[in-house]
């Protein structure tokens, strides 16, 4: 599908969204309004990823999180290289601060993440045996989940288990855990997590399953194969996290996504959107146009998700365009700042915030 067609389909989605929302398209997709506009998201099952520096030194950031969110997740802080600088050490400074902020503001904290190929400290490369790997993985989950038992209510136990471009349904992403323990490490981690905190929602989290195209279809199939296998063996698993790092220039596979979420629902799994943002490096420059296309892309995605299953909650990977990972990998060639998140760099409400609010309010 050409870029022109993709943008046209977004505009069509924007128009469709207008009708669906029975609200004047103008208001929902209107440009950034004053920072004091009432929060469209307050009280809804919405949350955002937080970063340590702005949380510590930026009052506007803290105020925006407190005003709009019911849930937060650390963009970092609970990853292995944050917590385990050495084999012997556990460092909880960052997640303790996230938990303190959440508690002080009547919010919950999500846990991200216990088993991931990424963000691993170098010393883990020396894990040489299956018994050592099992001891370390189980010990890590016991210590980390044990510390936040009953306080962190939802965990990304498994993150990005599927290779970037799987060639078969049984493909699993290489990692030290896969290398030392094989696919059994997923069940080991989930069973350990359920033993340590039987009340916690245990989630498998993944990216790039939303778009039209063979690669994305194969990723959905490989993820579903793994989930079905875990469910068949009664491994405790309660939810699927769709990260939702949407490419503004790629078409959403509505049928594929709806069928995926419908199957997850049929297996008794909650469907969460865990890291929503819209990567806008290939979208037109003018912010007022780009913001509408960003919102329309998110609506296209969220509407496809809820066509198969209710959406448990929506988290964005950051809250303001001022603090986002997107330019690290998707800097715009025109030099304009990226605008992937629901609030702009001045914390003004953007159409994306209204789209998320509309979808959360309009629970089907
Ligand atoms: O904290 C260190 C700092 O001490 C050091 O000076 C600096 C320079 O190397 O690095 C800082 O660590 C960075 C860390 O973010 C904290 O800002 C790491 O280099 C950097 O790689 C890390 O990037 C994070 C990335 O995950 C890897 O953990 C991004 O902020 C974060 O947005 C990204 O989030 C991932 C999700 O976990 C999973 N899904 C995709 C998503 C986006 O890639």
């Amino acid at each position: 599908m050409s870029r022109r067609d993709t943008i046209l389909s977004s505009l069509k989605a924007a128009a469709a969204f207008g009708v669906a929302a029975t609200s004047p398209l103008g208001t929902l997709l209107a440009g950034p309004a004053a920072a004091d506009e009432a929060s469209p998201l307050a009280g809804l099952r919405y949350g955002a990823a937080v970063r340590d520096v702005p949380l510590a030194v930026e009052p506007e950031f803290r105020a925006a999180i407190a005003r709009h969110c019911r849930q937060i997740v650390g963009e970092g802080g609970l990853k292995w290289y944050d917590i385990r600088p050495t084999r012997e050490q556990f460092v909880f400074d960052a997640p303790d601060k996230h938990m303190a902020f959440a508690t002080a503001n009547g919010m919950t904290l999500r846990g991200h993440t216990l088993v991931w190929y990424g963000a691993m400290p170098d010393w883990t490369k020396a894990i040489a045996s299956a018994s050592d790997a099992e001891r370390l993985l189980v010990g890590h989950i016991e210590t980390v989940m044990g510390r936040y038992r009953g306080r962190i209510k939802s965990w990304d136990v498994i993150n990005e288990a599927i290779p970037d471009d799987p060639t078969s349904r049984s493909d699993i992403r290489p990692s030290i855990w896969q290398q030392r323990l094989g696919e059994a490490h997923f069940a080991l981690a989930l069973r350990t997590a359920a033993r340590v905190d039987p009340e916690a929602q245990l989630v498998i989290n993944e990216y790039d399953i939303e778009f039209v195209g063979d690669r994305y279809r194969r990723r959905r199939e490989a993820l579903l194969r793994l989930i079905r296998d875990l469910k068949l063996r009664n491994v405790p698993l309660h939810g699927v996290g769709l990260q939702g790092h949407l490419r503004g220039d790629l078409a959403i596979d509505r049928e594929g996504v709806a069928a995926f979420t419908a199957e997850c629902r049929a297996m008794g799994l909650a469907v969460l959107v865990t890291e929503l943002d819209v990567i806008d490096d290939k979208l037109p420059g003018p912010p007022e146009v780009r913001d509408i296309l960003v919102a329309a892309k998110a609506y296209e995605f969220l509407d496809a998700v809820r066509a198969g299953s209710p959406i448990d909650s929506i988290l964005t990977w950051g809250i303001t365009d001022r603090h986002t990972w997107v330019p690290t990998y998707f800097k715009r060639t025109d030099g304009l700042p990226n605008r992937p998140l629901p609030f702009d760099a001045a914390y003004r409400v953007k159409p994306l915030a209204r789209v998320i609010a509309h979808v959360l309010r309009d629970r089907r």
Side-chain angles (χ1 to χ4, degrees):
M1 185 187 254
S2 72
R3 185 158 159 260
R4 182 177 165 281
D5 291 345
T6 305
I7 291 181
L8 272 179
S9 81
S10 298
L11 282 172
K12 275 199 214 95
F17 175 79
V19 176
T22 58
S23 51
L25 179 60
T27 45
L28 276 163
L29 293 185
D36 62 0
E37 174 186 333
S39 168
L41 291 159
L44 299 174
R45 300 167 74 88
Y46 168 72
V50 297
R51 284 187 166 184
D52 301 341
V53 175
L55 198 64
V57 304
E58 213 178 286
E60 302 129 298
F61 184 83
R62 285 198 297 275
I65 296 284
R67 182 159 174 229
H68 304 295
C69 297
R70 246 170 73 174
Q71 193 172 46
I72 58 172
V73 57
E75 194 171 339
L78 277 168
K79 294 172 180 174
W80 271 72
Y81 67 7
D82 300 312
I83 294 185
R84 305 294 299 275
T86 67
R87 186 187 182 98
E88 294 68 35
Q89 279 177 288
F90 284 86
V91 177
F92 292 108
D93 301 6
D96 282 356
K97 287 196 182 97
H98 300 162
M99 179 55 77
F101 181 86
T103 311
N105 291 282
M107 297 172 195
T108 56
L109 173 66
R110 283 205 80 233
H112 178 78
T113 178
L114 296 164
V115 181
W116 186 25
Y117 76 94
M120 291 295 286
D122 286 346
W123 64 265
T124 56
K125 294 190 180 93
I127 298 172
S129 67
S131 57
D132 193 28
E134 178 162 345
R135 196 173 30 254
L136 274 164
L137 185 56
V138 170
H140 183 84
I141 295 173
E142 287 173 342
T143 306
V144 178
M145 282 189 75
R147 184 180 186 87
Y148 301 108
R149 180 184 297 113
R151 299 189 290 158
I152 292 186
K153 302 190 186 305
S154 178
W155 278 94
D156 293 335
V157 177
I158 299 169
N159 191 44
E160 302 179 5
I162 305 300
D164 205 52
D165 196 356
T167 52
S168 93
R169 290 170 191 221
S170 55
D171 273 8
I172 294 293
R173 185 179 294 260
S175 72
I176 188 70
W177 310 120
Q178 181 65 16
Q179 190 184 345
R180 294 290 173 239
L181 297 165
E183 195 174 318
H185 80 275
F186 296 126
L188 173 69
L190 288 162
R191 289 201 170 105
T192 304
R195 173 170 55 76
V196 175
D197 191 345
E199 301 308 313
Q201 178 190 51
L202 309 181
V203 173
I204 183 167
N205 196 40
E206 196 53 86
Y207 71 101
D208 274 5
I209 60 127
E210 308 88 355
F211 308 113
V212 170
D214 260 3
R215 173 177 163 246
Y216 307 105
R217 177 184 51 71
R218 283 186 265 115
R219 286 178 60 77
R220 287 193 293 271
E221 287 169 0
L223 182 57
L224 275 176
R225 193 283 308 165
L226 175 57
I227 293 171
R228 282 192 210 104
D229 185 70
L230 291 167
K231 295 302 283 182
L232 274 174
R233 294 185 296 123
N234 293 320
V235 175
L237 181 65
H238 312 121
V240 177
L242 307 184
Q243 291 183 8
H245 295 291
L246 307 180
R247 307 295 299 266
D249 56 310
L250 295 182
I252 300 291
D253 184 335
R254 183 178 174 80
E255 282 68 39
V257 170
F260 176 91
T261 56
E263 181 158 355
C264 293
R265 184 185 188 186
M267 290 190 274
L269 297 169
V271 172
L272 299 77
V273 174
T274 54
E275 305 182 17
L276 183 65
D277 53 21
V278 180
I279 296 165
D280 63 339
D281 58 323
K282 298 208 173 40
L283 293 181
E288 59 283 356
V289 175
R290 197 154 23 116
D291 290 355
I292 289 179
L293 294 171
V294 159
K297 181 59 63 183
Y299 180 69
E300 230 180 315
F301 164 63
L302 295 171
D303 199 43
V305 173
R306 65 179 178 167
S309 164
I311 300 176
D312 174 277
S313 53
I314 299 176
L315 289 100
T316 50
W317 206 237
I319 193 165
T320 166
D321 296 332
R322 189 187 294 191
H323 301 296
T324 164
W325 71 290
V326 170
T328 312
Y329 301 101
F330 302 99
K331 216 176 191 42
R332 292 179 59 88
T333 53
D334 60 11
L336 292 174
N338 297 92
R339 300 174 66 88
L341 288 165
F343 297 85
D344 70 10
Y347 293 95
R348 294 184 303 181
V349 177
K350 292 167 58 186
L352 177 55
R354 300 191 192 97
V355 160
I356 295 169
H358 169 78
V359 169
L360 287 172
R361 262 200 213 93
D362 182 25
R363 280 175 67 84
R364 302 193 172 167

